[in-house]
Amino acid sequence: MATAPKAEPVDKRRLILDAAVWVFARRGFHHCRVSDVADEAGVAYGLVYHYFDSKEEILNTLFLERWQVMLDAIDEIDARDLPARDKLYAVAAFIIDSYRHNPDLMKVIIVEVTRAANSFGRLHLDRIREAYTGISDIVEAARAEGSFKSDIPSEFAAMCFYGAIEQLLTSWIFEVLPRTEEEFERAKELVVEAICGGLESAGTSQPATSA
Amino acid sequence: MATAPKAEPVDKRRLILDAAVWVFARRGFHHCRVSDVADEAGVAYGLVYHYFDSKEEILNTLFLERWQVMLDAIDEIDARDLPARDKLYAVAAFIIDSYRHNPDLMKVIIVEVTRAANSFGRLHLDRIREAYTGISDIVEAARAEGSFKSDIPSEFAAMCFYGAIEQLLTSWIFEVLPRTEEEFERAKELVVEAICGGLESAGTSQPATSA
Amino acid sequence: MATAPKAEPVDKRRLILDAAVWVFARRGFHHCRVSDVADEAGVAYGLVYHYFDSKEEILNTLFLERWQVMLDAIDEIDARDLPARDKLYAVAAFIIDSYRHNPDLMKVIIVEVTRAANSFGRLHLDRIREAYTGISDIVEAARAEGSFKSDIPSEFAAMCFYGAIEQLLTSWIFEVLPRTEEEFERAKELVVEAICGGLESAGTSQPATSA
Amino acid sequence: MATAPKAEPVDKRRLILDAAVWVFARRGFHHCRVSDVADEAGVAYGLVYHYFDSKEEILNTLFLERWQVMLDAIDEIDARDLPARDKLYAVAAFIIDSYRHNPDLMKVIIVEVTRAANSFGRLHLDRIREAYTGISDIVEAARAEGSFKSDIPSEFAAMCFYGAIEQLLTSWIFEVLPRTEEEFERAKELVVEAICGGLESAGTSQPATSA
DNA sequence: GATGAATGAGCGTTCATTCAT
DNA sequence: AATGAATGAACGCTCATTCAT
């Protein structure tokens, strides 16, 4: 006898999180209502509060989940036996691919958390800094080994690198830059070349004249 | 006979704008009330609406006022007869000094406008992009002249440069980096060295290995 | 065994509408606050907005609900096989009885809607005119049949008839006229006699002398 | 020698009153601001409060000024030696011509005062009733003399007559009826014919059948 | 008389959160 | 777990009125 058709079990909590990504990305965390998330998820209003203590907790959950994946990736990359430039390329590639595969989630994380200095950014400051640290570790090893300049602190270097990538993502989010597969791939190369290799042609390197 | 001391005439509109800078910087645009601004300015609630149509208009005014100053500065710097690296140093110096002289205003502009992709950032997108263009022009000239690499598009270079500086300011705003005179001066040098000269030691430049 | 006494289920939406009638009638639509309605209904402030989009929608709902009842009544009366005067008596009786049974509701509808030319009156103009049309139809049939004068357009006649009744209700609302059962009954007769039979004694009818 | 050109003296108070008529008629008393009136009059905001104690006093002034003219006219008409029908025709003609000559003022008086039972209507109730009384006096004399039916109280008759005229004006205000010279003239005749002569053809008069 | 900046109470609306079922 | 009605604090904005000049 054939088994009765079973309704596939749906994880309502997951449904809510996914709906939140969609809604937060479209309308922004502050400009949407909890009911928008519930409607998008197709669940009752109150169920959101069964799974989450507050609207903020939804965003926190989304951020922490995803950010951990990135931190793990950076650590894993750092552990590889590769030149620093290749490691940084791998980091850039990971972040850019994250955006490529789930632009809404990355948009939410960047716009609503990492770039929101007054609210969630402050709350997750330590977590955000861990990413800096991971990148910084890569640079630091390269400095120790001699392939990277010793006069640029690794923390500072990490900041420039991360800043460039975040700006890149922001440009895609803002639709300032086109979002095509070619652009994504090219951006990985360019950001590493720009930050590691510098903008100047070989042989022109010179100290800046102080004002 | 000396004239009696007269109460200096106060520009209430300016008072409100200055108070808004203070309040928006402390509590964030969305987390403060119009009455907070009025109280801080020491004026009646309604006067805010005598001078501004809405709370948003206050922020727009602050942004547009200050951003124009920066755009003018970039244009003026571009017109100077200097090497590209020195021009970029001047741009970095201008922005960093802007932050040094009025950290609250810069915080508000960056946190509430340029980094707020879903709200004011979108509104002022074109204005924000003008800054990119100014920097891009500097890079483009250097490419044409041969001092900057031709394989990094000037728009991309401008984005990396601006991204690094914005991240720098954000780090100060977040209090991740110390805010001392020495740090400010040193950051000007470092950001230019990192972006123009690159992170790698001379002679180690190499293309990244694609994943 | 007798079932335990259950609290009768209350329709909060109805509760709010009824409270609005009371409050609008006492204080006027513009002079009362939404909280007055909520307080009168004994519900929380926000619940008003759970059921209605705005304060105005409450009034619109009250008007449309009741006005439809009147339009239906006029249509039903028109369909009866009666002399025109009796039909008009029935219409007058229906409106006056409406006031008698729910003076607050009729007050709100007349004062805040049908007599409010600049606000709700304009909004519901078409609906209001439908009542004229219904009365006009009754008159028109009487003219065709010969019992009513052909030199007074039916629309004009309807306007006089409705105007007289509205003035009558207004007088009760203003407390210019006493509100007793006898008065209500007498008014039904008088308004029909005045409008259909005219003020003049039989045999004195004469054309007016133009100024 | 020619006299020096003198600036014609402008009565600012009158200017404000006239501006108020225009503004109240367009936007309604409650939907306009005092500044709208000042702007329309071309005077400073504060000057309105130099001449009037409040926004309401402006409306009261407009009403009382004009209403007195009407009361005087009714009294004057009543004193003439004319048949009742001709007197009522004169009253209707006066009111309709008032609207014809200054539709904005009449609109304001009717919409914002006489039809506003909850606000100004209540305040000026006694004044409004004086108009009824004037009309009522005309009817009463006709009843005493035998030309008008004695079974319709003169107060009731006055109410019907005034109600019909107010409805007529309201129809013009609402733009339900066309506003042409011919319509105005015809309406004077029709309203008197309808109310004095009745809607029914001669010989069909009959008592209504009670429900 | 004339000006318009300054005041501040008041109100409609929103929406995160709670809770009875 | 699931529902959605119910709650009420919070806030942006309006505008009549006052007052210093």
Side-chain angles (χ1 to χ4, degrees):
Chain A
M1 213 214 299
T3 56
K6 273 214 268 180
E8 71 272 26
V10 277
D11 181 348
K12 297 277 177 91
R13 190 185 131 93
R14 192 75 249 162
L15 224 50
I16 292 167
L17 284 171
D18 292 343
V21 168
W22 171 270
V23 171
F24 292 171
R26 299 306 136 211
R27 314 199 24 197
F29 180 81
H30 287 103
H31 293 88
C32 76
R33 294 167 292 183
V34 174
S35 69
D36 292 332
V37 175
D39 289 350
E40 180 65 32
V43 303
Y45 202 80
L47 197 61
V48 174
Y49 284 89
H50 180 74
Y51 287 111
F52 302 94
D53 285 342
S54 68
K55 186 185 175 187
E56 304 209 340
E57 210 206 58
I58 302 175
L59 181 55
N60 289 336
T61 302
L62 289 172
F63 169 75
L64 290 172
E65 253 184 28
R66 185 66 203 170
W67 201 253
Q68 191 54 52
V69 173
M70 193 179 81
L71 293 180
D72 291 345
I74 293 174
D75 281 350
E76 183 271 327
I77 288 164
D78 191 20
R80 294 185 202 165
D81 184 21
L82 283 175
R85 177 186 275 244
D86 289 359
K87 288 184 179 176
L88 290 181
Y89 177 89
V91 170
F94 180 84
I95 297 175
I96 290 172
D97 285 337
S98 292
Y99 178 72
R100 184 163 53 167
H101 294 131
N102 199 339
D104 285 343
L105 177 56
M106 287 300 279
K107 176 176 178 177
V108 168
I109 284 171
I110 288 173
V111 170
E112 307 294 352
V113 185
T114 70
R115 288 175 77 93
N118 267 319
S119 48
F120 292 94
R122 178 140 277 149
L123 183 63
H124 295 295
L125 195 47
D126 290 340
R127 238 18 191 326
I128 294 169
R129 291 180 69 173
E130 283 183 45
Y132 281 54
T133 307
I135 296 166
S136 177
D137 288 346
I138 296 174
V139 174
E140 189 56 31
R143 287 173 82 219
E145 169 222 23
S147 61
F148 272 30
K149 289 172 186 163
S150 61
D151 53 354
I152 300 178
S154 58
E155 294 79 12
F156 194 93
M159 203 194 58
C160 290
F161 183 71
Y162 181 78
I165 293 179
E166 202 187 85
Q167 203 65 24
L168 190 54
L169 296 192
T170 303
S171 294
W172 285 322
I173 291 167
F174 266 89
E175 297 174 51
V176 168
L177 291 182
R179 288 175 292 194
T180 65
E181 292 296 302
E182 295 73 32
E183 282 291 320
F184 291 138
E185 289 311 312
R186 184 152 167 67
K188 295 174 188 174
E189 311 261 356
L190 285 174
V191 75
V192 173
E193 172 61 17
I195 301 295
C196 296
L199 300 177
E200 291 169 338
S201 306
T204 51
S205 193
Q206 50 180 314
T209 320
S210 288
Chain B
M1 211 214 299
T3 55
K6 276 214 263 181
E8 71 270 27
V10 278
D11 180 348
K12 296 282 178 84
R13 191 185 130 95
R14 192 75 252 161
L15 222 51
I16 291 167
L17 284 171
D18 291 344
V21 168
W22 171 270
V23 172
F24 291 171
R26 298 303 142 227
R27 315 198 25 195
F29 179 81
H30 287 103
H31 292 88
C32 76
R33 292 167 292 176
V34 174
S35 67
D36 293 333
V37 175
D39 290 350
E40 179 64 32
V43 302
Y45 194 100
L47 198 63
V48 175
Y49 285 90
H50 182 74
Y51 288 111
F52 302 94
D53 285 343
S54 67
K55 186 185 175 189
E56 304 208 340
E57 211 208 56
I58 302 175
L59 180 55
N60 289 336
T61 301
L62 290 172
F63 168 76
L64 290 171
E65 252 184 29
R66 186 67 204 168
W67 200 254
Q68 190 56 51
V69 172
M70 194 181 82
L71 293 179
D72 291 345
I74 293 173
D75 282 350
E76 185 270 326
I77 288 164
D78 190 19
R80 292 186 203 165
D81 185 21
L82 283 176
R85 176 188 276 244
D86 289 358
K87 286 183 180 177
L88 291 181
Y89 177 88
V91 170
F94 180 85
I95 297 175
I96 290 171
D97 285 338
S98 291
Y99 179 73
R100 184 162 54 165
H101 294 130
N102 199 340
D104 284 342
L105 177 55
M106 288 300 279
K107 175 176 178 177
V108 169
I109 285 172
I110 288 173
V111 171
E112 307 294 351
V113 185
T114 71
R115 289 176 77 94
N118 267 321
S119 48
F120 292 94
R122 179 139 277 148
L123 183 63
H124 295 295
L125 195 47
D126 289 340
R127 234 29 194 315
I128 294 170
R129 291 179 69 174
E130 283 182 45
Y132 281 55
T133 308
I135 296 167
S136 177
D137 288 344
I138 295 174
V139 175
E140 188 58 29
R143 289 173 80 220
E145 169 224 22
S147 61
F148 272 30
K149 288 171 187 165
S150 61
D151 55 353
I152 300 179
S154 58
E155 294 80 12
F156 195 94
M159 205 193 58
C160 291
F161 182 71
Y162 181 79
I165 292 179
E166 204 187 83
Q167 204 65 23
L168 190 54
L169 296 192
T170 304
S171 294
W172 285 323
I173 290 166
F174 266 89
E175 297 173 53
V176 168
L177 291 183
R179 289 175 290 194
T180 66
E181 292 296 301
E182 295 72 31
E183 281 292 320
F184 291 139
E185 289 311 312
R186 184 151 170 66
K188 294 175 189 175
E189 311 260 356
L190 285 174
V191 75
V192 172
E193 173 60 18
I195 301 296
C196 296
L199 300 177
E200 292 168 338
S201 306
T204 50
S205 194
Q206 50 178 313
T209 319
S210 287
Chain C
M1 210 212 303
T3 55
K6 274 215 262 180
E8 72 270 27
V10 277
D11 180 348
K12 297 281 178 88
R13 192 185 129 96
R14 193 75 249 164
L15 222 51
I16 291 168
L17 284 171
D18 292 343
V21 168
W22 171 270
V23 172
F24 292 171
R26 299 299 145 232
R27 315 200 25 196
F29 180 81
H30 288 103
H31 292 88
C32 75
R33 293 167 292 178
V34 174
S35 67
D36 293 333
V37 175
D39 290 350
E40 179 65 31
V43 302
Y45 196 100
L47 197 63
V48 174
Y49 285 90
H50 181 74
Y51 287 111
F52 301 95
D53 285 341
S54 67
K55 187 185 173 188
E56 304 208 339
E57 212 206 58
I58 302 174
L59 181 55
N60 289 335
T61 302
L62 290 173
F63 169 75
L64 291 172
E65 254 184 28
R66 186 66 204 170
W67 200 254
Q68 191 55 51
V69 172
M70 193 180 82
L71 294 180
D72 291 345
I74 293 174
D75 283 350
E76 184 270 326
I77 288 165
D78 190 19
R80 292 185 202 165
D81 184 23
L82 284 175
R85 175 187 276 243
D86 289 357
K87 286 184 180 177
L88 291 181
Y89 177 88
V91 170
F94 180 85
I95 297 176
I96 289 171
D97 285 338
S98 292
Y99 178 73
R100 184 163 53 166
H101 293 131
N102 199 340
D104 284 342
L105 176 55
M106 287 301 277
K107 175 177 179 177
V108 168
I109 285 172
I110 288 173
V111 170
E112 306 294 351
V113 185
T114 70
R115 289 176 77 94
N118 268 320
S119 48
F120 292 94
R122 178 139 278 147
L123 183 64
H124 295 296
L125 193 48
D126 289 341
R127 238 15 190 327
I128 294 170
R129 291 180 68 174
E130 283 182 45
Y132 281 54
T133 308
I135 296 167
S136 176
D137 289 344
I138 294 174
V139 174
E140 189 57 31
R143 286 173 81 220
E145 171 225 20
S147 61
F148 272 30
K149 287 172 187 163
S150 61
D151 54 354
I152 299 178
S154 58
E155 294 80 11
F156 194 93
M159 203 193 58
C160 290
F161 182 71
Y162 181 78
I165 293 179
E166 203 186 85
Q167 204 65 24
L168 190 55
L169 296 192
T170 303
S171 294
W172 285 322
I173 291 167
F174 266 90
E175 296 175 51
V176 168
L177 291 183
R179 289 175 289 195
T180 65
E181 293 296 301
E182 294 73 31
E183 280 292 320
F184 291 138
E185 289 311 313
R186 182 151 171 68
K188 295 175 189 176
E189 311 262 356
L190 285 174
V191 74
V192 172
E193 173 59 19
I195 302 296
C196 295
L199 300 177
E200 291 169 339
S201 306
T204 50
S205 193
Q206 49 179 316
T209 320
S210 286
Chain D
M1 212 212 302
T3 56
K6 274 214 267 180
E8 71 271 26
V10 278
D11 181 348
K12 297 277 177 91
R13 191 185 130 94
R14 191 75 249 161
L15 225 50
I16 292 167
L17 285 170
D18 291 344
V21 168
W22 172 269
V23 172
F24 291 171
R26 300 302 138 217
R27 314 197 27 196
F29 180 81
H30 286 103
H31 292 88
C32 76
R33 294 166 294 182
V34 173
S35 70
D36 292 333
V37 174
D39 289 350
E40 179 65 31
V43 303
Y45 203 80
L47 197 61
V48 174
Y49 283 89
H50 180 73
Y51 288 111
F52 302 95
D53 285 342
S54 69
K55 187 186 175 188
E56 304 208 339
E57 209 208 59
I58 302 175
L59 181 55
N60 289 337
T61 301
L62 289 173
F63 169 75
L64 291 172
E65 254 184 28
R66 186 66 204 169
W67 200 254
Q68 190 54 52
V69 172
M70 194 180 83
L71 293 180
D72 291 346
I74 293 174
D75 282 350
E76 184 270 326
I77 288 164
D78 191 20
R80 292 185 204 165
D81 184 20
L82 284 175
R85 178 187 274 244
D86 288 359
K87 286 184 180 176
L88 291 181
Y89 178 88
V91 170
F94 180 84
I95 297 175
I96 290 172
D97 285 337
S98 292
Y99 179 72
R100 183 163 55 167
H101 293 131
N102 199 340
D104 285 342
L105 177 55
M106 287 300 279
K107 175 176 179 177
V108 168
I109 284 171
I110 288 173
V111 170
E112 307 293 353
V113 185
T114 71
R115 288 175 77 94
N118 267 319
S119 49
F120 292 95
R122 178 140 278 148
L123 183 63
H124 295 296
L125 194 48
D126 289 341
R127 237 21 196 319
I128 294 170
R129 291 179 69 173
E130 284 183 43
Y132 281 54
T133 307
I135 296 167
S136 178
D137 288 346
I138 295 174
V139 174
E140 189 56 32
R143 286 173 81 220
E145 169 223 22
S147 61
F148 272 30
K149 288 171 186 163
S150 61
D151 54 353
I152 300 179
S154 58
E155 294 79 12
F156 194 92
M159 203 194 58
C160 290
F161 182 72
Y162 181 77
I165 293 179
E166 202 186 85
Q167 203 65 24
L168 190 54
L169 296 192
T170 303
S171 294
W172 284 323
I173 291 167
F174 266 90
E175 296 174 52
V176 168
L177 290 183
R179 288 175 290 195
T180 65
E181 293 296 301
E182 293 73 32
E183 281 291 322
F184 291 139
E185 289 311 312
R186 184 151 168 65
K188 294 175 189 175
E189 312 260 356
L190 285 174
V191 75
V192 172
E193 172 61 17
I195 301 296
C196 296
L199 300 177
E200 292 169 338
S201 307
T204 51
S205 194
Q206 50 178 314
T209 319
S210 288

